[in-house]
Amino acid sequence: MTTLPASTSRKLGLVIDLDTCVGCHACVISCKGWNTEHYGAPLSDRDAYGAQPEGTFLNRVHSFEVTRKDAPPMVVHFPRSCLHCDDAPCVTVCPTGASYKRVEDGIVLVNEDACIGCGLCAWACPYGAREMDADAGVMKKCTLCVDRIYNENLPEVDREPACVRTCPAGARHFGDLGDPQSAVSQLVAERGGMDLMPEQGTAPVNKYLPPRPRDQLGAAGAQAPDLAALCDPSTDGASGFLGWLDRALERL
Amino acid sequence: MHPAPSLIFFTVVSGLGFGLLAWLGLGVVRPTGWAAFWWFGLGYGLAGAGLLASAFHLGHPERMLLAFTQWRSSWLSREAVLALATLAVMAPHAAGAVFWSNPLPGFGLVAAVLALATVGATSMIYAQLRSVPRWHHWSVPVLFVLAALAGGALLAGQGRAGLWLLLALAVVMVAHWQIGDRRFRGSGSDAGTATGLGGLGAVRLLEPPHTGSNYLLREMVHVVGRRHAHKLRLIALPLAALLPAILMLLAPSWPPMLVLAVLLHLAGMVVARWLFFAEAEHVVGLYYGRR
């Protein structure tokens, strides 16, 4: 049924740290790799070696520039994927029941055998989290690596989403955001984790941690950098042996 | 949004068909025999052709029957159920009129209500989407139902009623455009809320996540329509509503005039519906620095 569950036992999701993300796209590649080889239809590419390559991805990294008042502009790398919303509009619009939100852990999934490929769920998602696979004709989306996190054939350290496992900067965290005692919930509370587009009323489970404030020139306690080191060396006023050496070398 | 020809054809033609069926079901015209055959046939043909066209944009049309199952939550499913119910309930009324010269007005009346509900459900598929602020407004269902009623009136030979409905349609079209132009800003979504970084300063895209295109950009970021929106409105409004209304003022019951009015209306609705899709902006464009 594409009606949403009134509540879910757990709220598994991601916490993405915009302060630490270095924009390396490793999560994009590991996601593409895992989800092409495992759950459901592979994520296809079109014209992969041609002039206009494109493909299906469940995770993409944008880079934004923030122009701040009285401070230098800031570059923020921004991974974008399914937020596994509590009030997921993509689920309720589905005419076939292919889209559903799991009661046991809150993961939003697509049953690809029931998907007619109408694309309405992708329209309903404000975050662009769903992409129709051009080869398979079914809707693809982040599964929160449902085939990893419960997979007892994997070593325990690998039982987390591929993007989290691979992130070299430790910018991605996985856990139960419905449990206030969980590490991810504590992280969100401590760092002021935020929802994307709260005005869309989707109640996202995934949270984003804002960039930490940067050191500022002239701020109390901050030491002004040694700007002299950046200037051309000056020999004005050099006298004696050093003055002679300076003049002699200059003439060479 | 991408103006897919199958969706434009589907919404315009099936809207017109269900509009005609609503008038026939209400019993405003009571044809019998061959006249009823052609009239009901036209209604069924238009409605059915539109529904078939809508199947063409599916990735897996062979699983279409599943789309009848989720009427509790999905407007698309409700539309499918209502469309089928309309055609089924109208059948005894139509068959009675064609074969026994004895229409069954009870069935007709229910079917007329179902026909309008079907068009309403079609419009709600778009109006429910908060992610497309221009569509997320009551003017969309009013626009769709009025267009179906006005077009249906012309096809049913109801020139007088058609005149008033076309004038109302013109007013709602203009209102929909005027209100729609302010919807995106009114939605409160911008690059700042999309990234959550708005509190720090002005946010702009520095590097897109990919150099090529993708499904999201092809499906939801469409610029051509908005660039020519003004011209297209000036084309759509006279064709869809004003010119047919003038024709109905001149000769509301002369068949050639009705046919001409229907053709003009149809052409105008195709332009208006193309624009309806093409100028609607999806908030996902905010992540790509374009809308």
Side-chain angles (χ1 to χ4, degrees):
Chain A
M1 263 300 165
T2 51
T3 41
L4 288 162
S7 68
T8 58
S9 322
R10 293 191 295 162
K11 294 182 184 186
L12 295 187
L14 301 175
V15 173
I16 295 171
D17 191 341
L18 298 179
D19 193 60
T20 12
C21 175
V22 294
C24 70
H25 292 242
C27 54
V28 178
I29 302 307
S30 64
C31 168
K32 175 96 170 178
W34 180 267
N35 287 293
T36 290
E37 292 158 13
H38 299 87
Y39 182 99
L43 303 173
S44 68
D45 289 320
R46 290 262 160 131
D47 195 22
Y49 303 98
Q52 290 174 314
E54 63 173 85
T56 312
F57 286 79
L58 310 183
N59 179 29
R60 299 193 184 255
V61 178
H62 302 235
S63 297
F64 291 96
E65 182 190 60
V66 185
T67 310
R68 296 177 296 167
K69 211 178 167 199
D70 304 326
M74 184 194 273
V75 172
V76 180
H77 303 293
F78 185 92
R80 177 178 61 79
S81 60
C82 174
L83 307 176
H84 297 280
C85 303
D86 268 342
D87 199 351
C90 56
V91 170
T92 50
V93 299
C94 176
T96 68
S99 279
Y100 60 104
K101 185 171 174 72
R102 302 192 346 157
V103 182
E104 61 268 39
D105 51 19
I107 300 179
V108 176
L109 286 176
V110 176
N111 171 5
E112 291 175 6
D113 294 332
C115 176
I116 55 173
C118 68
L120 189 56
C121 55
W123 285 14
C125 173
Y127 310 106
R130 289 172 170 242
E131 298 188 17
M132 179 103 75
D133 190 84
D135 277 2
V138 294
M139 196 55 72
K140 300 296 296 184
K141 72 174 293 300
C142 163
T143 66
L144 212 60
C145 283
V146 69
D147 50 349
R148 285 175 67 96
I149 58 178
Y150 299 117
N151 192 339
E152 294 186 354
N153 295 316
L154 296 177
E156 200 166 344
V157 69
D158 285 333
R159 288 181 211 159
E160 58 181 12
C163 57
V164 177
R165 184 77 182 95
T166 209
C167 178
R172 304 178 72 97
H173 308 269
F174 165 70
D176 181 7
L177 287 144
D179 171 13
Q181 298 309 314
S182 70
V184 281
S185 294
Q186 306 257 322
L187 192 59
V188 168
E190 186 187 320
R191 294 276 308 281
M194 59 199 179
D195 289 346
L196 304 184
M197 287 199 261
E199 70 279 2
Q200 287 279 332
T202 53
V205 168
N206 284 13
K207 302 285 183 241
Y208 282 74
L209 306 179
R212 291 182 176 92
R214 303 285 195 265
D215 293 340
Q216 300 215 341
L217 288 179
Q223 206 165 10
D226 181 12
L227 294 177
L230 301 172
C231 302
D232 270 343
S234 164
T235 52
D236 284 353
S239 60
F241 172 70
L242 285 177
W244 169 81
L245 190 62
D246 179 45
R247 287 191 299 278
L249 287 172
E250 196 66 30
R251 273 197 293 274
L252 275 179
Chain B
M1 306 298 284
H2 170 63
S6 60
L7 284 185
I8 294 165
F9 183 80
F10 153 60
T11 55
V12 171
V13 171
S14 80
L16 196 60
F18 283 113
L20 171 59
L21 288 179
W23 283 97
L24 292 173
L26 286 173
V28 182
V29 269
R30 292 175 181 272
T32 53
W34 278 108
F37 177 81
W38 291 116
W39 238 331
F40 279 102
L42 183 63
Y44 269 87
L46 290 172
L51 290 176
L52 268 183
S54 72
F56 281 115
H57 84 287
L58 298 180
H60 282 277
E62 76 279 7
R63 301 172 184 161
M64 205 158 56
L65 286 181
L66 285 170
F68 291 91
T69 60
Q70 302 301 312
W71 47 268
R72 281 191 195 83
S73 72
S74 165
W75 280 106
L76 179 49
S77 186
R78 283 172 201 163
E79 184 213 29
V81 172
L82 285 167
L84 206 67
T86 307
L87 301 183
V89 175
M90 188 68 84
H93 178 61
V98 173
F99 299 113
W100 297 283
S101 300
N102 183 23
L104 302 167
F107 282 98
L109 208 62
V110 175
V113 174
L114 285 171
L116 292 180
T118 306
V119 179
T122 305
S123 69
M124 283 308 292
I125 294 172
Y126 307 107
Q128 70 179 332
L129 299 175
R130 195 181 281 198
S131 51
V132 186
R134 182 183 288 275
W135 290 349
H136 190 56
H137 193 260
W138 55 262
S139 63
V140 172
V142 176
L143 184 69
F144 273 58
V145 173
L146 259 183
L149 275 175
L154 297 180
L155 277 179
Q158 301 301 304
R160 282 262 170 259
L163 169 63
W164 292 110
L165 286 165
L166 286 166
L167 291 177
L169 177 64
V171 172
V172 174
M173 281 170 87
V174 172
H176 169 69
W177 289 328
Q178 290 295 320
I179 296 166
D181 288 346
R182 290 191 289 270
R183 291 290 295 164
F184 202 99
R185 190 175 300 169
S187 74
S189 293
D190 55 30
T193 67
T195 57
L197 301 170
L200 295 172
V203 179
R204 77 175 181 101
L205 184 72
L206 186 65
E207 281 182 335
H210 41 96
T211 50
S213 187
N214 73 345
Y215 172 77
L216 298 173
L217 291 174
R218 270 182 283 111
E219 192 74 3
M220 295 169 219
V221 181
H222 194 86
V223 184
V224 184
R226 281 206 314 290
R227 180 178 297 173
H228 303 294
H230 196 66
K231 277 182 215 157
L232 287 166
R233 287 174 187 180
L234 289 179
I235 294 169
L237 187 64
L239 279 177
L242 298 181
L243 288 176
I246 291 171
L247 294 186
M248 287 306 95
L249 193 64
L250 297 175
S253 47
W254 190 40
M257 203 64 117
L258 280 163
V259 171
L260 183 61
V262 168
L263 292 177
L264 286 173
H265 171 74
L266 194 60
M269 281 314 295
V270 168
V271 175
R273 201 51 56 81
W274 188 89
L275 188 63
F276 175 79
F277 286 100
E279 73 173 339
E281 302 154 276
H282 195 288
V283 292
V284 76
L286 295 170
Y287 290 108
Y288 284 92
R290 36 208 264 223
R291 276 158 51 184

